[in-house]
């Protein structure tokens, strides 16, 4: 009797799971993206408030206690709050895998992405532990942030894919525009990496006893800014090209450009105001938003074959593009 009831319960749950992409899956995909960005903000708050060792051990907060004790004060609360965010992201990742279980063969692309994001949460938690064990080694902290950016990009892919039909995809922009977009994405990545190295060499170490890279932070600020301006120039070129030949991707490029302009303004302000923690934290979060926007631009260079422009339209687009070169 109990086996029958259990089988019926399992079957009932299975029938409840989506048999096609619905609002539940799309909501979880968006929650995954938003939470991956938010945890960068909370992680930044940990470092910028000097709470990096607010919980000096891992996986427990202090020896013998999973949660911070009164002696750890506000720093312990801030650090533990960031750890709780990891748990929340893990729950969202599990929810995505569960909701996509029934579609794991039909939408293997989405299911694999959800599994990777779930595995990424676990990997990030382990890197966080190594960060604590090494006393906030700046290179480990930088790697931790870089891994978070990759998670943001993967979550962006998941959001993008839940709105598309499955199957092969084809380029819907001229090859030259696609090449320019990929070049822009490379320079964006270079800008972010230089930003990570600059931050690892600056004053906000996360704890008074934490070490720094020893590199010249002022020089790195300039090396970080140059590819940033190159990114802006490439994005403007990309936008002009997309508008002149009326490409569908131009709205995503506009969004990318707006984020870059905001990021440059915040970067200049923080550099000239002595790196106030609030602006540094905002700069970090905007780096994630920038990575998501750049990923969205690249993803929208292609579309499922069933909804790509027909041969005549694409040929005309390429002809117009060649005239403007």
């Amino acid at each position: 009797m109990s086996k029958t009831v259990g089988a019926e319960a399992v079957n009932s749950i299975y029938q409840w799971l989506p048999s096609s992409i619905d609002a539940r899956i799309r909501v979880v995909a968006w929650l995954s993206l938003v939470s991956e960005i938010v945890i960068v903000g909370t992680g930044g708050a940990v470092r910028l408030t000097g709470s990096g060792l607010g919980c000096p051990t891992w996986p427990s907060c202090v020896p013998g206690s999973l949660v911070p004790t009164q002696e750890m004060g506000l720093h312990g609360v801030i650090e533990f709050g960031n750890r709780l965010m990891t748990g929340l992201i893990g729950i969202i990742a599990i929810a995505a895998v569960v909701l996509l279980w029934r579609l794991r063969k039909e939408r293997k692309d989405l299911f694999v992405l959800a599994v990777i994001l779930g595995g990424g949460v676990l990997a990030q938690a382990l890197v966080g532990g190594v960060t604590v064990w090494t006393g906030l080694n700046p290179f480990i902290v930088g790697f931790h942030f870089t891994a978070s950016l990759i998670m943001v990009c993967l979550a962006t892919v998941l959001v993008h894919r839940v709105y598309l039909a499955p199957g092969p995809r084809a380029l819907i922009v001229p090859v030259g525009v696609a090449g320019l977009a990929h070049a822009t994405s490379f320079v964006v990545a270079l800008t972010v990496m230089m930003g990570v190295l600059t931050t690892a060499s600056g004053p906000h170490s996360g704890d008074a006893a934490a070490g720094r890279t020893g590199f010249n932070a002022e020089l790195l600020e300039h090396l970080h800014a140059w590819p940033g301006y190159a990114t802006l120039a490439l994005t403007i070129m990309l936008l002009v090209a997309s508008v002149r030949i009326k490409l569908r991707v131009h709205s995503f490029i506009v969004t990318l450009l707006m984020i870059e302009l905001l990021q440059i303004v915040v970067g200049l302000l923080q550099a000239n105001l002595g790196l106030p923690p609030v602006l540094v934290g905002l700069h970090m979060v905007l780096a994630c938003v920038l990575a998501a926007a750049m990923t969205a631009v690249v993803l929208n260079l292609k579309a499922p074959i069933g909804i790509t422009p027909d041969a005549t339209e694409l040929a005309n687009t390429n002809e117009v593009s060649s005239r403007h070169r």
Side-chain angles (χ1 to χ4, degrees):
M1 179 68 178
S2 60
K3 289 184 178 180
T4 302
V5 173
E8 290 178 351
V10 170
N11 183 62
S12 177
I13 293 173
Y14 185 80
Q15 294 301 320
W16 175 82
L17 295 177
S19 58
S20 61
I21 305 301
D22 63 9
R24 290 173 291 176
I25 293 175
R26 291 190 174 113
V27 167
V28 169
W30 276 105
L31 286 175
S32 177
L33 175 57
V34 171
S35 62
E36 293 289 358
I37 295 175
V38 169
I39 198 171
V40 170
T42 61
V46 169
R47 184 159 57 84
L48 296 168
T49 58
S51 305
L53 295 176
C55 285
T57 62
W58 190 92
S60 62
C61 180
V62 293
S65 177
L66 183 64
V67 300
T69 59
Q70 186 174 0
E71 291 75 19
M72 304 313 298
L74 182 60
H75 290 317
V77 173
I78 293 173
E79 162 64 7
F80 187 70
N82 186 57
R83 295 189 183 189
L84 288 179
M85 269 300 302
T86 300
L88 176 60
I89 294 177
I91 292 172
I92 294 171
I94 292 171
V97 172
V98 171
L99 287 173
L100 287 164
W101 181 257
R102 197 171 172 183
L103 294 165
R104 64 189 184 280
K105 294 181 180 179
E106 180 185 348
R107 293 305 306 266
K108 185 178 179 180
D109 58 331
L110 299 180
F111 185 73
V112 169
L113 276 170
V115 171
I116 291 173
L117 284 167
V121 174
L122 178 59
Q124 275 289 70
L126 293 175
V127 173
V130 173
T131 302
V132 173
W133 293 336
T134 58
L136 306 183
N137 180 289
F139 295 103
I140 302 297
V141 173
F143 175 78
H144 198 36
F145 177 74
T146 303
S148 294
L149 282 173
I150 294 173
M151 295 283 282
V152 168
C153 293
L154 289 173
T156 303
V157 177
L158 181 63
V159 170
H160 176 74
R161 289 292 184 89
V162 296
Y163 290 97
L164 292 182
R169 300 159 67 236
L171 200 64
I172 59 172
V173 301
V175 174
V177 174
L180 182 58
H182 287 295
T184 305
S185 68
F186 172 78
V187 181
V188 166
L190 179 62
T191 304
V192 172
M193 290 303 96
M194 290 306 304
V196 171
L197 190 57
T198 301
T199 301
S201 306
H204 300 295
S205 62
D207 187 85
R212 300 279 77 195
T213 64
F215 299 143
N216 187 317
E218 185 176 352
L219 174 61
L220 286 173
E221 284 182 12
H222 293 293
L223 295 177
H224 170 47
W226 295 339
Y229 294 133
T231 297
L232 179 64
L234 287 170
T235 304
I236 292 173
M237 292 170 59
L238 194 58
L239 179 59
V240 170
S242 68
V243 171
R244 292 182 71 179
I245 55 180
K246 299 179 180 179
L247 297 178
R248 300 175 185 177
V249 75
H250 79 273
S251 60
F252 292 96
I253 300 173
V254 170
T255 301
L256 176 65
L257 179 61
M258 293 300 102
I259 295 169
E260 288 173 0
L261 289 171
L262 180 58
Q263 183 72 312
I264 288 173
V265 170
V266 173
L268 289 173
L269 284 174
Q270 69 169 9
N272 287 281
L273 294 176
L275 301 177
V278 172
L279 289 181
V280 174
L282 179 59
H283 201 54
M284 291 173 61
V285 172
L286 284 173
C288 292
V289 178
L290 175 64
M294 188 70 249
T295 302
V297 169
V298 172
L299 289 172
N300 281 280
L301 299 175
K302 292 183 176 182
I305 288 176
I307 60 172
T308 55
D310 60 33
T312 302
E313 180 183 347
L314 191 54
N316 290 337
T317 299
N318 281 304
E319 182 181 349
V320 173
S321 178
S322 64
R323 289 175 182 171
H324 288 303
R325 290 194 188 109

